[in-house]
Amino acid sequence: MTWRLHPDVSTVDTDYGTVLLDGRDGRYWQLNPTASLAFRALVDGSTVQETTERLMATYDVDEPRARADVEQLMASLQQAKVVQQR
């Protein structure tokens, strides 16, 4: 499964992660560096498994926790209609 950012959502990278702004209603999300890494990897075409492995290589986290975090992040962003499946 691959993801893409909704066309009305813009992003800005900050020193603290990534901010997503939904131009449709003005809602925004602040992603911490871990969530930012996962978000960027997935919208750039990485799989959940590749993203999980990247999180494990970057942070001290085991595979079940990394995978659950990746899946929860994208489920939340999909529910908010910030990302869409390609």
Side-chain angles (χ1 to χ4, degrees):
M1 174 182 321
T2 59
W3 299 93
R4 69 180 174 94
L5 192 62
H6 188 281
D8 292 328
V9 177
S10 57
T11 65
V12 174
D13 291 322
T14 71
D15 292 338
Y16 308 104
T18 302
V19 175
L20 310 174
L21 174 62
D22 189 336
R24 297 168 290 187
D25 60 13
R27 290 184 301 162
Y28 70 93
W29 294 263
Q30 170 71 46
L31 304 181
N32 67 25
T34 306
S36 182
L37 184 151
F39 167 76
R40 289 286 181 202
L42 289 165
V43 297
D44 287 344
S46 293
T47 65
V48 169
Q49 183 60 38
E50 291 167 339
T51 303
T52 298
E53 291 169 4
R54 194 163 168 197
L55 285 177
M56 291 168 45
T58 305
Y59 300 100
D60 183 23
V61 61
D62 63 17
E63 184 170 1
R65 177 59 190 251
R67 177 177 285 279
D69 287 350
V70 169
E71 291 172 349
Q72 182 179 2
L73 170 68
M74 296 315 283
S76 295
L77 294 178
Q78 183 179 24
Q79 182 178 8
K81 298 182 171 73
V82 173
V83 296
Q84 303 169 329
Q85 293 180 3
R86 290 186 197 182

